[in-house]
Amino acid sequence: MTTNVETFQFQAEARQVLDLMIHSLYTNKDIFLRELISNASDALDRIRFEALSRPDLIGADEKLEIWLESDPKERTLTISDNGIGMSREEVVANIGTIAKSGTREMMQALREKHESSETLTTLIGQFGVGFYSAFMVADRVTLVTRRAGEDRAIQWESAGDGTFTITDSSKFSRGTSITLHLKKFEEDAEIEDFTNKWTIEQIVKRYSDFVAYPVIFKDKEGKEADKTLNSMKPIWTRPRSEVTDEEYKEFYKHISHDWNEPMETWSFRAEGRSEYQALLFVPSEAPFDLFYATGKFGLHLFVRRVLIMERCEELLPPYLRFIRGVVDSADLPLNVSRQRLQEDRHIAQIRKWLTKKVLDSLEEMQRKEAEKYVTLWKQFGRVLKEGAGFDFDNKDKLVPLFLFESSNDPEKLTSLKDYAGRMKSDQTAIYYLTGPSRRAVEHSPHLEAFREKGFEVLYMVDPVDEMFVQWQTEFDGKPMKSIAKGTADLGDEKSVEEKKPEFEKLTEALQKKLDDRVKEVRLSARLTSSPACLVVSEHDVSPNLEKILSQMKGEAAKQKRILELNPNHELIAKMRNHVDDAALDDLAEVLYGYAVLAEGSELQDPLKFNQALVRVLAKTV
């Protein structure tokens, strides 16, 4: 019996997802059952956890289970559980809308990539909207649920047409029941009959055999005994030799809600005074919110096979937040709280152990599977670099894992160790240049003398690199030096010093003309073909970091920089003859503007530069 019918509109983003679900063509429609069983398993985990502090929520002899019941005549399939259930407010919030974190990004991705069923499937899992996959196979979905501890049940129903209804309902003591009113079955359509017991059994075996609760097929007509379809063996407790790659892949999809396969699977076990085990996965792609402050990360924490926390951030340092998986401990109390976790010595011990295991595994992959490691690095390298700034205990393990672009090979990334092995005998430092992109830095005039001498230069083009070079001042006893800071120590300083007197009037005149923007004008040993470039003092921030900080904090005063001149360039030589000319104002403006543009920066006053350039060109013509 139902009363108090209310009709609601789906959130705009949810309507678009539903439309894609209903009208997109899928070859693997059976994934809907995996997602609904996974949701039921999560609900059972939650009631099991809440019952630790409220034992009255679960009866003394009650079993936690998931039931599947099909009705071929009515074309329905029902998935039920006696888990935590939902309140009326939770139903409206959780099923009427898309998860609020990243909604805009998700819809942008859907709009751009919805033509690919594989891509759309990935996005469904990535953005936590698996419930909507029911509409791939159902014309109508009816959900009845009752929150543990509440005295009324709620019925939710929708035909995927942009609206849903909420009514009061009668329901068993607690849990959720989802009935799919299946679309018409056509044998020649190459779509499985999801009311068929054998079909359902095969889907459960394929996707949900590892679920920790019984998945029971109930015979509606009572002709057969109820049958448990899954083995329920926690996959992380089984020897790796007894688990197939396919089982690991499906378990990863189950806990991560990522429908891509993992890139790597690691199984670890610690025995001794403390016992814990871990099954960890490296995703094949970075999640959309990897760099979002609102992103939710962490491993599933089990205590003696009871799920205590779904996202336990304390188990790994933040720079390993892309890792997915489970940790099961025998030493923690079942009712451990998040505050207690932050202080618990066992958690600190597990974190230290896990971090070492992960870094050792990454080092092994880098050494034995170089191409695979490069693939991993391109997805997660920016995150790993964050660790150099605060994980000092593991810095010696971390930094050798880092890869960089360089002038040595445009196609390959290099480690600091490999760079050091290629250094020339007369090279005194590991040289690098920071910037917003490879394209911006590889054409920089700062490279000219280094390239001519055959010195390799690392291209530091990730935003985090600007901080990394502050943290990492040397590697393997060799100093790290920016080629755009201080003076260029290339052995040519003596010849430059000898030319100072003949260019003294020019440098002084240019300093006077550009005093509001440069703190020094001097001759350069780092230029071979360009007339000028801009550098900063040894301890000043780079222009790229200055730009990043400005974007983060708003407009800030620009630091004055050093204008270096190439004494061997024809333009600079001719400018010596115009030191006292009125034309020097325009020449100074054009020369400074050229140096700014040559390094890939933006002009502060493009109009002033353009006017000066036109006047110089007019006089030249």
Side-chain angles (χ1 to χ4, degrees), residues 18 30 38 84 96 165 199 360 370 393 437 461 534 560 578 581 605 614:
L18 282 171
D30 55 7
S38 180
I84 192 69
T165 60
T199 298
D360 285 347
D393 291 340
S437 66
V461 294
L534 288 166
K560 288 187 176 183
H578 297 279
D581 293 359
D605 191 343
V614 169

Side-chain angles (χ1 to χ4, degrees), residues 125-227:
Q126 185 177 3
F127 290 88
V129 293
F131 170 79
Y132 296 95
S133 63
F135 287 95
M136 292 192 299
V137 298
D139 291 320
R140 181 162 51 94
V141 176
T142 303
L143 177 147
V144 182
T145 184
R146 181 172 172 178
R147 185 68 158 82
E150 294 199 355
D151 58 2
R152 66 168 178 169
I154 300 300
Q155 177 174 304
W156 177 100
E157 188 167 271
S158 176
D161 56 359
T163 66
F164 61 91
T165 60
I166 297 281
T167 63
D168 292 337
S169 178
S170 58
K171 182 70 170 71
F172 44 80
S173 61
R174 176 198 76 241
T176 300
S177 176
I178 301 172
T179 298
L180 311 183
H181 303 268
L182 298 168
K183 296 177 180 178
K184 184 179 179 182
F185 174 64
E186 299 176 10
E187 292 186 6
D188 59 349
E190 297 184 356
I191 297 174
E192 296 176 286
D193 181 1
F194 298 116
T195 66
N196 180 277
K197 178 186 175 182
W198 185 88
T199 298
I200 294 170
E201 184 173 352
Q202 294 307 303
I203 295 172
V204 172
K205 282 289 184 186
R206 188 185 315 148
Y207 295 132
S208 307
D209 192 55
F210 46 76
V211 171
Y213 305 97
V215 179
I216 300 170
F217 184 85
K218 296 176 70 69
D219 182 16
K220 182 177 177 62
E221 299 178 354
K223 294 179 180 178
E224 297 182 39
D226 295 345
K227 182 179 181 181

Side-chain angles (χ1 to χ4, degrees), residues 384-412:
L384 282 169
K385 285 180 185 175
E386 295 173 8
F390 61 84
D391 191 353
F392 302 110
D393 291 340
N394 290 298
K395 194 171 182 180
D396 289 344
K397 283 181 172 291
L398 256 177
V399 175
L401 295 172
F402 297 172
L403 300 181
F404 305 91
E405 297 189 63
S406 87
S407 59
N408 180 63
D409 189 330
E411 302 297 327
K412 292 184 178 180

Side-chain angles (χ1 to χ4, degrees), residues 419-478:
Y419 177 103
R422 292 191 296 267
M423 285 177 63
K424 292 183 173 294
S425 58
D426 57 340
Q427 190 173 336
T428 60
I430 294 174
Y431 297 115
Y432 68 86
L433 181 60
T434 62
S437 66
R438 182 188 180 100
R439 181 180 176 83
V441 298
E442 68 181 348
H443 299 296
S444 169
H446 300 99
L447 287 165
E448 292 175 357
F450 294 87
R451 187 180 285 124
E452 188 173 271
K453 289 182 176 291
F455 291 161
E456 182 178 354
V457 178
L458 296 175
Y459 299 153
M460 303 280 197
V461 294
D462 284 335
V464 70
D465 286 337
E466 291 287 1
M467 302 309 302
F468 170 69
V469 295
Q470 310 297 320
W471 306 324
Q472 190 74 23
T473 56
E474 62 88 29
F475 178 79
D476 198 22
K478 301 172 179 65

